[in-house]
Amino acid sequence: MARIALPHDAKAGPTKPEVRSVTLGKLDLGAGDHFVEVGSCTGAVTIEAARRAGRVTAIERKPERLETTRKNLAANGIDGVELVETEAPDGIGDDADALFLGGSRNYEAVLDRAAEIGIDRVVMNVSRLEVAGDAVRAFKTRDLFEEVLQVQVSTGYELAGATSFDADNPVYVISGGAK
């Protein structure tokens, strides 16, 4: 996966590169897809998706975070992304093919919308165990669930002339879609 520049901070995120890789693999975006990100924040996933999907919509309820998304898209030479300032599920068009939820706010209403319009691929990343369990149940009750992964990444660093590792917190990647 190519490196991306994120010179602008949103005080939340970004999704770590290794987790983005798994997330985007589950989304399996192609040139004909309309991808929607709910909670774009830094825009890290939106940037990666814009390199793959034919159409991209980034939804963010906080204007300052949407501005961060806009600035980071520009820093990566990405244009043509539709930026929508609203509370999801508003802003999720009927023609969406793939959906990513980077946070847990209002996720049940977002999953209701995904089921209603038959979104083909849905991925949600969660960092808290209790929310992950609730989200898996929410995916299942809407017949959207395929699998849940726990992604744990450790990064090497030099310690006394050898390599040791710092572990990032685990992330639960919940995926599926309308059948």
Side-chain angles (χ1 to χ4, degrees):
M1 191 160 53
R3 288 183 178 253
I4 63 172
L6 297 170
H8 304 281
D9 185 12
K11 305 292 186 247
T15 302
K16 302 271 191 283
E18 298 80 7
V19 176
R20 283 196 313 265
S21 182
V22 171
T23 298
L24 288 156
K26 295 298 177 187
L27 288 166
D28 192 27
L29 299 173
D33 287 329
H34 177 196
F35 168 79
V36 177
E37 179 174 10
V38 172
S40 63
C41 202
T42 64
V45 174
T46 299
I47 291 164
E48 297 284 2
R51 293 175 173 169
R52 294 164 173 77
R55 182 173 165 213
V56 175
T57 302
I59 299 172
E60 177 56 63
R61 70 184 180 89
K62 293 185 174 182
E64 65 277 8
R65 287 187 178 176
L66 192 63
E67 184 58 25
T68 298
T69 299
R70 180 185 327 278
K71 288 177 180 177
N72 284 332
L73 285 165
N76 287 274
I78 305 285
D79 57 9
V81 171
E82 179 183 7
L83 300 174
V84 180
E85 182 185 326
T86 193
E87 176 87 27
D90 292 346
I92 301 172
D94 292 342
D95 63 342
D97 300 298
L99 174 71
F100 172 66
L101 296 92
S104 58
R105 181 180 173 83
N106 207 22
Y107 72 88
E108 289 190 13
V110 173
L111 293 176
D112 286 341
R113 177 73 174 141
E116 171 192 338
I117 63 175
I119 292 180
D120 188 47
R121 287 150 284 152
V122 180
V123 175
M124 179 178 176
N125 290 354
V126 179
S127 60
R128 294 171 293 159
L129 178 61
E130 294 82 3
V131 175
D134 291 343
V136 166
R137 282 186 287 282
F139 268 69
K140 286 180 177 180
T141 61
R142 290 156 180 85
D143 199 28
L144 296 171
F145 182 77
E146 185 174 312
E147 71 177 334
V148 59
L149 304 172
Q150 181 195 48
V151 178
Q152 174 74 52
V153 176
S154 298
T155 305
Y157 69 96
E158 185 179 331
L159 177 65
T163 303
S164 192
F165 285 85
D166 274 333
D168 290 336
N169 287 328
V171 175
Y172 303 92
V173 179
I174 307 162
S175 63
K179 309 295 187 258

